Amino acid sequence: MSVRLTAVVGTVAGSQPSGFWTHALEAPVLDWPGVFLAAVFLVYVAAAGLYLAGTQPRRTRGWWICAGVHAGGAVALPLAGDLLTFFILWELVTLGAVGVLWLEPGAPRMVRAYLPVQLVAAAALMGAIGMHVAAGGTLAITGEGLIGGAGLALLAVAIKAAVFPFHVWLVNTYPQSRPATAVWLSAFGTKVGVFALLRLLPDSGLELAGAIVAVVAVIYALSRRTLRGFLSFHIVSQVGFMIAGIAALSGAGVPGGVYHVGNHIVYKGLLFMVAAVLIERRGSENMYLLRQGESTASPKPAQRRDVLLLVAAAVGALSISGVPPFNGWVSKSLIKDAVEWPATYYLLIAGSAGTAASFTKFIWLGFVSSVVPDPLRRLSKRRSGRGRGKDSSAERAGSVEIAAGPEGSESAESAGSAGSAGSAGSAGSAVAEPAGRPGGDIARVGLVRGLAMGALSLLCLLMGLQPSWFLPPAAEEFEATVAAAVSGLWPVLLGVGFFFLLYGRCVPALERLPSGEGVARGAIAGFRRAIRAARELHNGDLRRQLGWAFAGLAAGWVLLLVFV
Amino acid sequence: MRTGWALLFSVALVGCGIVTLIAGVDLDTHGAIFDYAHHSVQHTGAVNVVSAVLFDYRGLDTLGEATGVLATGLVVAVLAPKARTSMLSVRLSLVVLYGVALVLPFVSVLGFAVILFGHVSPGGGFTGGVVLASTAVFFAVVYTVGGQQSYVLPMDTQKRIENAAIAAFLLVGFGGLVTGGAFLANAATGIPLGEPGSLLSAGLIPLLNLVAGMKVGVGLAIVVVCLFSE
Amino acid sequence: MAGLGDSLLMQQLPSLLVAVPLSFVPLLYFLEKVGVPARGAALAGMGLCLLLSFLPWVEGTELPISASPGGWGGLLGIELLLDGRARLFLPVISAGVFVSALFGTRWSQRWPLSFYTLVFLLFTGANGLLLTNDLFNAFVFVEIAGIATHALVAFRGDGDGLESAFKYLMAAAVGGILILWGIVLVFTATGTLWIPLAAERLADAPPVFVAGAAVLLASGIALKGGLVPMHAWKADGLAGAPSAVAALLSGPILTALFGFGLRILYGLFGGFPVMEGASAVTGGVEGSFGVLGSAGEVRELLRGMVFVVAVSSIVAGHVMALAQSRMKRMLAYSSIAHMGYIVVGVGAGGEAALAAALTHAITHAFMKVGWFFVCGELRRTRGTDRIAAARGAFREAPWLGGAAILFSMSLVGIPPAAGFGSKWVLVLESANAGAWGGAVAIAAGGALALPYYLRIVVRGFEPGRPRAATPVPWDSSESPSCPEPAAELAAELPEGAPPHDTTGALGVRAVAILVCAALILGGFAGYGLLFSEAFSVATELVGSVL
Amino acid sequence: MGAIIMTTVLGLTGIAIYGLLTRRHLIRLVICFNVLEIAVLLAIVYAGFVEGGQAPIVGGAEAAYVSALPHAVALTAIVIAASSTALMLAYVVRIYRTRGSVRIERVRRWRG
């Protein structure tokens, strides 16, 4: 059934309806992935809205409008029944995010990182749809995907979902915004991209690629120092899982992948909320300084609230790591069962292990100690590397500053945005910055924020314990057997073991990982140079202007005469 | 633009032109053009076919170009500061002054004659208008003394004539529309065409000739005199 | 409205559409002599012309309406033909001129009579260009419109405006000569200036002649319209123009020029053959391009040239627009890019693509006019059109900011604004027709375009004002390097003329801007209407040529 | 006859285009534009030429006339070209007043 909007308009005009709308608007597609995802988005909108309501400073009306457009587009997009609506909603998601970022402190930098690539994605999507139509496809979303323009669609999806080589926009925006803003943004953009993969390219066969992304991104995540940089890379990694699931060829892959999308929205949102509270309370975003800040700035932390925060953080960490009763376990098991190639399977295991290791680090550094356990180093006692408990905080901060990769130095550039390693380091002390620093968020109503986090924690548990409520009935039932629990648990144990035994050893190597920033900078510089050259060509000389005109005329004429 | 490039482009374009012309060497255009000469007398009553084409068959073109001159005069008058001239402050000898004074009336009469007989003899509104404009230019050049611009007619009157001419042209046009069923209609309005070759023939063409002559004469005079006064 | 279709009014509508705007030229003069203010009379006249331009849309009108001044028909005299294409564009031109004149009240305060006279001349030229079915008459009208336009550009009389006007005039004059050369070749080959007859006879003309005529006419139109590589004068020509004039230039004039180009392409040369895959009911069009090469390779060459021109216009326009620091120049370059979009649609062939091109021409006219108005408002409050000076302007006038956002969205092609629809169809149709380069360029064009509009919008909403933000008198030059005779000009100011406009006329300008905004929003809502009309018009156009 | 006129037309065109592209003096540009225009006008008038034809003033006797249409068209084109030229000259004069010179470098403030 298509909504014939023009029929009405056309009757008024007394003309035949044709063209633009008639074959464009289709009824919404109400299949399981769409409805499930829209529902999860909706629940998350409620939870994150609650969280933001408990946050100071209050967002302006313009901010809320942009955020609403962003989220609203994301909620409606899974239900889109035709490519036109799909594209419009995709644009709305992008534009809403741009608006939100513009209204953040330190906006120009973030928008510069965000906007150009997103525009390329939008253009690629438009081109892909054009090629699809040209190849004889209709605008309706049928579930068979595009029949033309797969390459362009893949580019659009890769950018929107922040698949590994195109992830730079993500790790340069979410960690730079205010903590509570990141809570709002983290849920929608990339998930829309993953969903587009399902809708546009269901037969992409990217199973292995997804798994590789999952592993590579987790390695980068392990190397991050800032809390939200760390979480952002985990988004990339989890997107790898989702892609592997959706692209997996056997039956349970798609439900697994989509379920993972939903789960990820919930637990990653929860983790960003925890991160926001931690940053606000500890006054620093450097993971190594979280405990330090607490001890000096607030000598007597409210223990009870900290315990609650720990519970929320633990739920999130356990979920994302795939520990049995939580939701990540269900979806990861589904995905692992669905993948075809052994290589993919073991890569996903490795990804899970890495996730577990990094979230052990998260819990450890956030709530237990500021020192990374490093048994090997403690044995040798030869080097006093960074992150050692005996160093003074100033020294550590200095070494953080020196060793800060691109991430750290950029944070230093954007002084005034949320607390960063660089600014703490350059201050020469690890004393927490005042809680009300510009650009930060502080709790207005702790209870409301607690409520939001509690709701998401419960949802994590519920989605893990009762997957059949959420999964489509037609899909293969997930069985919570002991075997499944074990298969979910052993990579986690592997990861935890890795963290306690080897992580301290690996940190220096990890932090030297190359980043994609150079490529982006080179591209921008090249573009600037091209523009400068173009300006040189247009030097305002009237004779040159006429000369080009005559040259064009002569060239065209000669060419024509040669052929005639 | 470097000389070499300029040479290249102009030679290339001329070469294209040569090729085109060689291809069209045996074209017989004349046979294809509508034979106005053998129909215009019946159609319009004008003996001068060029006038017939200008003011009857293709009257819209003429109206259009007349307004073009109006626009030009308008802009030049706006851009040029009025009543100040450095260029014309040269004192001319007495011979020139008297000589011009002697010639000017004849030139004016010639201009009017060319306009009025435009439909029966070579000439027409444009030609005569240019002659008239030349009288104004002569006058401005010769009788401007001490940088103080002098006009045959005051500037305001010139503008009034210009606008009145356009209005008259349009009125003829609308009159044709109402009575003859087409904008700028001539014979179709029922106006007697008269005997070809006589002064009062060709319907409305003499009137349009006069109007266009006034228009062009005044318009060009405004333009040229304003440019002088810069 | 019964009987209207047969009335003299309707039969002679094409003549009236040319004659009525023209008759206001002397009328304004004499009315002012008797004390009627030129502005009121002019706006009333434009309202009348706007009404006239909507007459062809009255139910029961049979198109095409053919009228011939003098009643001689096309063979002997000049034929004015009001076909579907003209019906589509006439209201666009009239509305564009009307709102521009509303907005141009600032100019009308100094020389109201001259300003409105020139606007009416431009109006005449644009209408005539759209309606005429005669080659030489088209040249006359294109020159009238050109003279009126660059006269308006030079109107301010300061150095920058004059430089713009001179460059504009040289380019336009050379473009006119190229068009005239093309006309001469066609006339030499066919012996007639009447387009349908010329098209008929051109089929037997030597191919070399047809090629030359096609190239010359196309180059002339491209030079006037500003397509790469003939675009270089355009930004220079617009940069010194007052905003209302720049709007006139980018809206009505470009639209009329596009209409003329279509008439030449489809009326004289039979149009491009429809490409494989393009949705066309009529099948291949065999026009005079058929003379050029029956093997088809020449046509493909022609089409290739068109696409090269279009794609390079899109790229060059957007890239250069990105590099600008002044709004008017930026908008001028953006116009170049949008002309490229339109040409892609024309070159792709097929009715849907052509219809998309037509609708894009319409939406482009309104969104560009609207943006120039915003630019003019900024220049009024800030004294300059530098983008850096826009800081805080939208904060002070949020309605202006809202309109700017809307226009930008439309120009970039973001959904709730009208520009999206035409761009969408252009992408789909040109991809459909196999014009991959064009489709990708249009799709990518938005990615290039958004940053430079966003820059202004964001700058406008930033808090604070730029340094030296005092509004300056409108006739003072910004250029320190020109020893400007501002004092000289000021001395000539008529008694009682305010040094710069006061807020009294703000309402009128706001109305002008909001009208454009409403048209753009409504254009999206009514896209079905607009598009289906354009579609049927294109069908008719292609069909009538066959 | 035809060859001579066409050679003239092409020669004038070539000279005008070359001049437009190389001259630095604005008045010379205006002159070049006029030369270009004159070349076209010559071509227009020649289009209606007929060997041995009379001027199109219809006399009593039947005779061959050159076609009147190109003449009328050329007249119109001349007036339009004159308008353009007048405007160009007005601008040049004005540019001289404001910029102090009529070299083409003086109209290069808008660029980039």
Side-chain angles (χ1 to χ4, degrees):
Chain A
M1 182 199 86
S2 59
V3 183
R4 301 259 165 193
L5 194 73
T6 5
V8 184
V9 184
T11 323
V12 174
S15 60
Q16 287 297 314
S18 59
F20 182 64
W21 285 116
T22 41
H23 63 293
L25 273 190
E26 301 281 339
V29 176
L30 296 175
D31 57 351
W32 172 75
V35 174
F36 168 70
L37 209 55
V40 175
F41 274 140
L42 218 50
V43 170
Y44 186 77
V45 166
L50 199 63
Y51 182 88
L52 274 160
T55 303
Q56 200 83 288
R58 281 166 180 254
R59 266 54 174 169
T60 57
R61 200 191 306 148
W63 191 95
W64 276 112
I65 289 172
C66 294
V69 167
H70 178 61
V75 169
L77 185 128
L79 305 175
D82 57 88
L83 291 171
L84 177 68
T85 317
F86 190 89
F87 181 77
I88 290 176
L89 293 170
W90 171 291
E91 289 272 291
L92 286 185
V93 170
T94 307
L95 290 174
V98 170
V100 168
L101 289 175
W102 266 118
L103 297 169
E104 291 292 301
R109 211 191 104 66
M110 286 191 283
V111 175
R112 231 177 297 148
Y114 188 86
L115 188 59
V117 271
Q118 295 293 338
L119 288 176
V120 170
L125 182 62
M126 199 178 203
I129 295 172
M131 290 167 95
H132 163 71
V133 172
T138 60
L139 282 180
I141 289 178
T142 54
E144 274 133 39
L146 300 183
I147 54 178
L152 283 175
L154 200 59
L155 178 66
V157 166
I159 290 175
K160 194 77 184 169
V163 175
F164 184 66
F166 303 102
H167 67 286
V168 180
W169 66 265
L170 188 140
V171 297
N172 274 347
T173 49
Y174 293 178
Q176 310 283 337
S177 57
R178 284 179 290 181
T181 304
V183 169
W184 187 270
L185 290 178
S186 68
F188 302 109
T190 48
K191 315 307 174 294
V192 163
V194 174
F195 189 76
L197 184 74
L198 173 67
R199 280 289 196 243
L200 305 181
L201 304 163
D203 308 323
S204 59
L206 291 173
E207 183 185 297
L208 188 61
I212 292 171
V213 167
V215 174
V216 174
V218 93
I219 292 172
Y220 273 92
L222 272 170
S223 73
R224 290 298 102 171
R225 295 172 162 273
T226 57
L227 197 46
R228 283 177 300 153
F230 164 86
L231 289 177
S232 300
F233 265 103
H234 269 291
I235 295 182
V236 181
S237 162
Q238 296 297 310
V239 163
F241 275 93
M242 299 165 202
I243 289 176
I246 287 176
L249 296 171
S250 67
V254 171
V258 174
Y259 198 50
H260 199 61
V261 175
N263 292 339
H264 182 257
I265 292 166
V266 175
Y267 59 66
K268 190 47 68 69
L270 180 59
L271 285 168
F272 265 102
M273 288 176 185
V274 171
V277 176
L278 273 178
I279 291 165
E280 163 200 313
R281 218 175 270 173
R282 310 288 165 75
S284 167
E285 187 152 29
N286 190 329
M287 294 177 82
Y288 295 97
L289 300 180
L290 286 175
R291 298 290 300 169
Q292 206 68 36
E294 179 198 21
S295 61
T296 47
S298 49
K300 282 187 179 177
Q303 289 300 323
R304 195 169 51 85
R305 281 204 293 172
D306 237 25
V307 167
L308 286 177
L309 190 64
L310 175 60
V311 168
V315 170
L318 292 172
S319 297
I320 196 171
S321 309
V323 173
F326 294 98
N327 56 2
W329 168 59
V330 177
S331 48
K332 278 190 181 178
S333 301
L334 282 170
I335 293 171
K336 282 181 210 160
D337 288 348
V339 295
E340 196 183 22
W341 296 328
T344 317
Y345 180 79
Y346 287 112
L347 279 172
L348 288 178
I349 294 287
S352 298
T355 310
S358 42
F359 279 92
T360 317
K361 172 186 166 191
F362 174 64
I363 300 286
W364 180 264
L365 290 175
F367 297 94
V368 182
S369 162
S370 62
V371 183
V372 174
D374 187 354
L376 291 180
R377 278 194 209 180
R378 211 168 289 152
L379 283 176
S380 66
K381 283 192 177 170
R382 276 191 296 132
R383 287 156 49 192
S384 59
R386 79 184 68 79
R388 309 298 293 267
K390 284 158 199 146
D391 301 338
S392 76
S393 57
E395 253 184 59
R396 187 187 310 119
S399 68
V400 164
E401 170 74 5
I402 290 157
E407 193 186 340
S409 57
E410 275 148 24
S411 310
E413 275 175 34
S414 63
S417 72
S420 61
S423 61
S426 58
S429 84
V431 177
E433 296 163 86
R437 66 192 178 284
D441 291 308
I442 56 168
R444 189 154 57 99
V445 191
L447 184 65
V448 172
R449 304 212 296 186
L451 217 58
M453 286 192 274
L456 287 185
S457 307
L458 283 179
L459 197 58
C460 278
L461 206 56
L462 190 65
M463 289 172 92
L465 289 174
Q466 287 294 347
S468 55
W469 292 3
F470 304 98
L471 281 170
E476 210 173 306
E477 273 298 320
F478 174 76
E479 288 182 46
T481 55
V482 178
V486 169
S487 85
L489 210 50
W490 74 266
V492 175
L493 292 175
L494 204 66
V496 173
F498 169 79
F499 176 74
F500 283 111
L501 295 174
L502 287 173
Y503 178 69
R505 190 84 183 138
C506 301
V507 164
L510 284 175
E511 291 187 344
R512 275 198 294 276
L513 284 174
S515 74
E517 299 274 307
V519 180
R521 286 216 189 96
I524 289 171
F527 193 63
R528 286 227 170 101
R529 203 159 299 146
I531 284 184
R532 210 175 307 137
R535 290 195 66 154
E536 288 292 316
L537 279 176
H538 294 76
N539 66 354
D541 189 339
L542 181 61
R543 290 170 304 167
R544 174 173 287 193
Q545 296 169 357
L546 293 177
W548 284 356
F550 283 124
L553 171 62
W557 204 348
V558 168
L559 215 59
L560 253 185
L561 283 185
V562 166
F563 272 81
V564 173
Chain B
M1 182 64 48
R2 289 230 208 96
T3 313
W5 287 111
L7 212 55
L8 177 69
F9 297 149
S10 42
V11 166
L13 285 175
V14 170
C16 290
I18 290 171
V19 173
T20 308
L21 287 179
I22 287 172
V25 84
D26 51 354
L27 276 175
D28 180 25
T29 310
H30 191 265
I33 304 175
F34 178 78
D35 190 1
Y36 287 99
H38 288 107
H39 296 91
S40 73
V41 177
Q42 294 105 294
H43 282 166
T44 67
V47 173
N48 182 351
V49 188
V50 177
S51 271
V53 173
L54 267 179
F55 292 100
D56 198 344
Y57 294 113
R58 301 182 69 87
L60 195 62
D61 276 355
T62 311
L63 183 56
E65 67 176 294
T67 55
V69 176
L70 178 109
T72 309
L74 204 72
V75 179
V76 174
V78 165
L79 282 182
K82 292 151 200 86
R84 264 190 325 140
T85 159
S86 54
M87 194 167 134
L88 300 178
S89 51
V90 188
R91 282 191 64 86
L92 298 161
S93 82
L94 220 56
V95 178
V96 176
L97 289 177
Y98 281 105
V100 169
L102 198 64
V103 167
L104 265 186
F106 293 105
V107 175
S108 312
V109 170
L110 173 68
F112 279 109
V114 167
I115 292 173
L116 286 177
F117 290 89
H119 55 295
V120 294
S121 66
F126 286 107
T127 336
V130 174
V131 175
L132 282 184
S134 73
T135 63
V137 173
F138 265 131
F139 194 83
V141 169
V142 175
Y143 296 107
T144 293
V145 185
Q148 196 60 40
Q149 189 82 55
S150 61
Y151 302 99
V152 181
L153 296 170
M155 199 66 168
D156 204 38
T157 316
Q158 292 190 30
K159 284 197 171 168
R160 202 167 292 167
I161 293 174
E162 199 177 18
N163 279 294
I166 293 273
F169 211 124
L170 281 163
L171 278 179
V172 171
F174 283 119
L177 184 65
V178 173
T179 55
F183 187 71
L184 283 173
N186 181 12
T189 55
I191 195 160
L193 290 180
E195 188 183 334
S198 67
L199 187 58
L200 281 179
S201 65
L204 292 167
I205 290 180
L207 181 60
L208 290 181
N209 245 333
L210 184 66
V211 164
M214 288 286 123
K215 170 76 211 58
V216 170
V218 174
L220 286 184
I222 291 178
V223 169
V224 177
V225 170
C226 282
L227 280 177
F228 271 145
S229 68
E230 253 292 344
Chain C
M1 286 284 185
L4 188 66
D6 308 328
S7 66
L8 188 67
L9 178 68
M10 287 308 271
Q11 281 168 8
Q12 292 299 320
L13 193 59
S15 301
L16 285 177
L17 280 166
V18 177
V20 171
L22 190 54
S23 63
F24 274 91
V25 170
L27 204 57
L28 283 185
Y29 179 83
F30 290 117
L31 281 179
E32 207 197 30
K33 287 286 168 222
V34 299
V36 180
R39 186 172 133 201
L43 289 181
M46 280 170 201
L48 177 65
C49 297
L50 189 61
L51 277 183
L52 275 183
S53 73
F54 275 106
L55 275 185
W57 291 86
V58 170
E59 195 80 23
T61 308
E62 276 191 27
L63 292 183
I65 306 172
S66 163
S68 175
W72 296 112
L75 178 63
L76 281 75
I78 293 168
E79 189 194 19
L80 299 175
L81 187 69
L82 201 164
D83 57 3
R85 174 195 54 113
R87 177 173 72 158
L88 195 65
F89 282 153
L90 275 172
V92 180
I93 290 175
S94 301
V97 172
F98 186 72
V99 286
S100 299
L102 268 186
F103 190 79
T105 45
R106 180 161 146 198
W107 296 92
S108 68
Q109 288 186 7
R110 185 160 172 194
W111 290 293
L113 184 61
S114 307
F115 176 80
Y116 287 111
T117 305
L118 289 175
V119 170
F120 270 116
L121 281 176
L122 181 148
F123 200 173
T124 311
N127 268 355
L129 188 57
L130 198 57
L131 287 169
T132 185
N133 206 12
D134 184 279
L135 282 170
F136 187 74
N137 195 236
F139 170 75
V140 171
F141 280 124
V142 88
E143 288 296 313
I144 290 179
I147 288 175
T149 321
H150 53 67
L152 283 168
V153 172
F155 215 62
R156 191 159 57 193
D158 66 0
D160 290 353
L162 276 168
E163 174 176 339
S164 287
F166 187 73
K167 284 180 171 173
Y168 189 122
L169 173 53
M170 282 307 284
V174 171
I177 297 271
L178 294 183
I179 292 177
L180 192 55
W181 260 117
I183 291 170
V184 171
L185 286 191
V186 173
F187 181 70
T188 311
T190 63
T192 181
L193 293 167
W194 189 29
I195 290 178
L197 188 62
E200 210 173 278
R201 293 186 182 169
L202 216 52
D204 307 323
V208 173
F209 239 73
V210 179
V215 159
L216 283 165
L217 282 169
S219 310
I221 293 169
L223 186 50
K224 290 211 173 226
L227 282 166
V228 171
M230 286 118 180
H231 67 290
W233 61 272
K234 186 153 182 173
D236 297 357
L238 254 70
S243 302
V245 177
L248 278 172
L249 239 152
S250 299
I253 292 287
L254 270 190
T255 312
L257 204 60
F258 176 59
F260 173 57
L262 278 185
R263 168 140 310 159
I264 292 290
L265 180 64
Y266 280 89
L268 193 59
F269 293 113
F272 283 111
V274 178
M275 284 179 93
E276 293 289 322
S279 47
V281 201
T282 48
V285 179
E286 288 292 337
S288 304
F289 284 143
V291 184
L292 294 185
S294 46
E297 59 187 15
V298 176
R299 296 177 192 182
E300 287 319 302
L301 177 75
L302 273 177
R303 196 197 301 282
M305 274 157 51
V306 165
F307 280 132
V308 166
V309 164
V311 171
S312 48
S313 293
I314 293 172
V315 173
H318 281 317
V319 166
M320 286 303 292
L322 263 175
Q324 299 306 317
S325 61
R326 281 176 184 263
M327 247 175 269
K328 272 181 209 147
R329 292 181 67 81
M330 189 201 88
L331 293 172
Y333 278 117
S334 153
S335 275
I336 293 169
H338 280 273
M339 287 311 276
Y341 288 11
I342 293 168
V343 171
V344 167
V346 172
E351 287 162 9
L354 186 59
L358 289 170
T359 38
H360 196 73
I362 296 170
T363 41
H364 171 257
F366 284 118
M367 54 210 188
K368 225 2 115 42
V369 165
W371 238 122
F372 271 117
F373 290 169
V374 172
C375 175
E377 272 301 290
L378 289 179
R379 192 176 144 80
R380 187 182 66 83
T381 52
R382 294 294 195 251
T384 169
D385 67 334
R386 284 185 192 283
I387 292 169
R391 178 196 290 268
F394 296 153
R395 218 167 246 267
E396 291 161 20
W399 61 274
L400 193 65
I405 291 174
L406 188 61
F407 298 146
S408 311
M409 287 169 84
S410 191
L411 276 163
V412 175
I414 292 167
F420 169 72
S422 49
K423 193 172 141 181
W424 173 262
V425 181
L426 271 176
V427 168
L428 292 195
E429 277 306 318
S430 51
N432 214 354
W436 300 111
V440 171
I442 292 175
L448 279 169
L450 186 53
Y452 56 79
Y453 291 114
L454 203 63
R455 193 169 49 163
I456 301 179
V457 170
V458 165
R459 191 57 64 96
F461 279 110
E462 272 174 11
R465 287 177 74 96
R467 280 176 293 133
T470 47
V472 295
W474 63 270
D475 55 354
S476 84
S477 170
E478 288 168 46
S479 48
S481 66
C482 303
E484 192 56 33
E488 181 188 320
L489 276 175
E492 291 166 25
L493 267 179
E495 202 60 31
H500 60 93
D501 57 346
T502 45
T503 47
L506 178 69
V508 180
R509 285 195 297 274
V511 165
I513 290 175
L514 294 180
V515 162
C516 283
L519 279 170
I520 286 172
L521 262 187
F524 185 72
Y527 224 94
L529 176 128
L530 200 60
F531 192 73
S532 56
E533 273 309 318
F535 195 88
S536 63
V537 164
T539 315
E540 187 184 310
L541 188 64
V542 178
S544 67
V545 169
L546 284 176
Chain D
M1 184 68 184
I4 297 170
I5 289 179
M6 280 307 141
T7 315
T8 319
V9 166
L10 287 173
L12 288 179
T13 312
I15 290 167
I17 292 174
Y18 179 78
L20 276 177
L21 298 186
T22 52
R23 296 301 102 182
R24 293 168 170 276
H25 198 285
L26 293 183
I27 302 267
R28 281 172 205 244
L29 288 188
V30 177
I31 293 171
C32 287
F33 164 75
N34 271 281
V35 173
L36 198 57
E37 174 89 30
I38 283 166
V40 193
L41 292 175
L42 206 52
I44 293 178
V45 175
Y46 181 67
F49 177 74
V50 61
E51 202 70 48
Q54 293 179 3
I57 313 292
V58 180
E62 193 74 8
Y65 298 106
V66 297
S67 180
L69 181 60
H71 288 216
V73 162
L75 255 178
T76 313
I78 286 171
V79 177
I80 288 173
S83 304
S84 289
T85 311
L87 274 175
M88 281 179 196
L89 289 175
Y91 296 160
V92 170
V93 169
R94 198 75 193 147
I95 284 168
Y96 178 71
R97 282 290 152 100
T98 53
R99 302 249 162 117
S101 165
V102 285
R103 307 293 286 178
I104 200 158
E105 292 83 5
R106 293 305 169 107
V107 287
R108 270 181 68 182
R109 264 182 52 75
W110 295 120
R111 56 166 73 197

